[in-house]
Amino acid sequence: MLVYPSSIDLSSRTLRYLSARLHARRREIGTRRRRLPAGRQALPALAHLRCGDTYAQLAAGFRIGIATVHRYIREAIDLLAALAPALTQAMKTIRTKAFVILDGTLLPIDRLAADTPYYSGKHKSHGMNVQVLTDPFGRLLWASPALPGSVHDLTAARAHGIIDALAAAELKCWADKAYQGAGHPVRVPFRGRRLKRWKHRHNSSHTKIRCLVEQAMAVLKSWRLLRKLRCSTHRITAIVQAILILHHASA
């Protein structure tokens, strides 16, 4: 009997979705009987992502080995990450929107001071840079692969092909001052201290639109694992993509 006191609702849409995916995967590869059924394997994976529970906590709660917990969670994350759309695929949905909002966020990681590629001078901390696109209501549409925190937002957006994709789709995009110089599709506020009144009004209206992206950031940070990542930096992209799929499944 499992004794793990998870706060995750067993009847939630997210849990049912992941359970179904894991069950289908087991049938596809013809796996043998495991310590936990597919439905129960989904629970520690969600507890890890949603609550940030460690492998040791999950192993004790589910009365299985730490290596087994690690294998179960890695399998679930990789399965979900494989379903995440690339930007070219996501653009089919993005093109149907009146406009989109672009912003970047820093996911904190447990790096040392010597790990300069991951240090963000803007945030004064180590992390991974993830670019996010939302619809006009602040709903999360797409999240990019993770890059080292030292990468500037505009550089990251160009590296992921976001600017080119928006230009090709002739889609308007609102962003903050970090994207100054991105080009025609990306609208940014005016910079400077002594601005004319009409520029101040423009910046005020721009801020009211762009601030809706904070809803998407709040959605990402509601998955507590993203508040302090202690895994390999090579695994962070898969984690973000898995969370994106689970978010859309529960919408």
Side-chain angles (χ1 to χ4, degrees):
M1 178 179 178
L2 300 179
V3 297
Y4 186 72
S6 175
S7 59
I8 298 177
D9 184 3
L10 291 176
S11 64
S12 70
R13 185 181 302 179
T14 305
L15 183 57
R16 292 198 303 269
Y17 175 84
L18 181 53
S19 299
R21 287 292 180 179
L22 289 171
H23 182 70
R25 177 60 178 169
R26 290 187 182 189
R27 293 182 58 185
E28 178 184 348
I29 64 177
T31 186
R32 296 179 179 179
R33 183 180 181 276
R34 298 191 181 183
R35 179 67 177 82
L36 298 179
R40 290 296 187 179
Q41 179 184 353
L43 185 54
L46 283 178
H48 180 65
L49 294 172
R50 174 67 78 179
C51 306
D53 295 340
T54 65
Y55 294 149
Q57 290 173 322
L58 294 168
F62 284 92
R63 296 178 180 174
I64 54 179
I66 292 179
T68 302
V69 170
H70 178 271
R71 185 172 67 253
Y72 279 176
I73 292 176
R74 189 184 183 95
E75 179 184 26
I77 290 175
D78 289 344
L79 176 62
L80 292 170
L83 302 173
L87 179 60
T88 53
Q89 297 171 305
M91 285 301 297
K92 296 178 181 179
T93 300
I94 294 172
R95 284 192 183 96
T96 64
K97 307 301 179 181
F99 63 88
V100 293
I101 307 172
L102 170 65
D103 200 4
T105 185
L106 188 78
L107 303 179
I109 59 175
D110 60 341
R111 299 288 99 175
L112 301 174
D115 296 322
T116 52
Y118 302 101
Y119 183 77
S120 169
K122 176 182 176 181
H123 297 88
K124 308 299 181 184
S125 62
H126 292 80
M128 298 293 285
N129 182 305
V130 172
Q131 299 294 301
V132 169
L133 285 171
T134 77
D135 68 7
F137 301 98
R139 292 182 294 229
L140 182 62
L141 295 174
W142 181 79
S144 74
L147 293 177
S150 61
V151 178
H152 190 272
D153 282 339
L154 179 55
T155 303
R158 285 173 172 163
H160 296 308
I162 298 174
I163 308 300
D164 291 339
L166 294 174
E170 298 182 351
L171 188 62
K172 297 178 181 177
C173 173
W174 266 253
D176 61 21
K177 296 177 181 179
Y179 298 89
Q180 196 86 30
H184 174 68
V186 181
R187 299 189 175 187
V188 297
F190 290 104
R191 302 182 67 175
R193 295 182 178 179
R194 297 180 179 179
L195 299 177
K196 295 182 179 180
R197 290 185 179 180
W198 71 270
K199 290 186 176 181
H200 277 295
R201 290 195 297 269
H202 173 275
N203 283 0
S204 179
S205 299
H206 185 281
T207 300
K208 290 179 181 178
I209 296 174
R210 198 198 64 78
C211 70
L212 294 174
V213 76
E214 298 303 326
Q215 298 180 20
M217 298 306 182
V219 166
L220 284 178
K221 297 302 175 66
S222 68
W223 297 80
R224 296 182 183 176
L225 185 64
L226 296 183
R227 298 179 187 178
K228 187 67 172 182
L229 289 156
R230 295 177 172 82
C231 61
S232 168
T233 55
H234 299 292
R235 294 291 301 163
I236 294 177
T237 292
I239 291 172
V240 172
Q241 292 174 337
I243 288 174
L244 178 67
I245 291 298
L246 290 175
H247 166 69
H248 286 164
S250 63

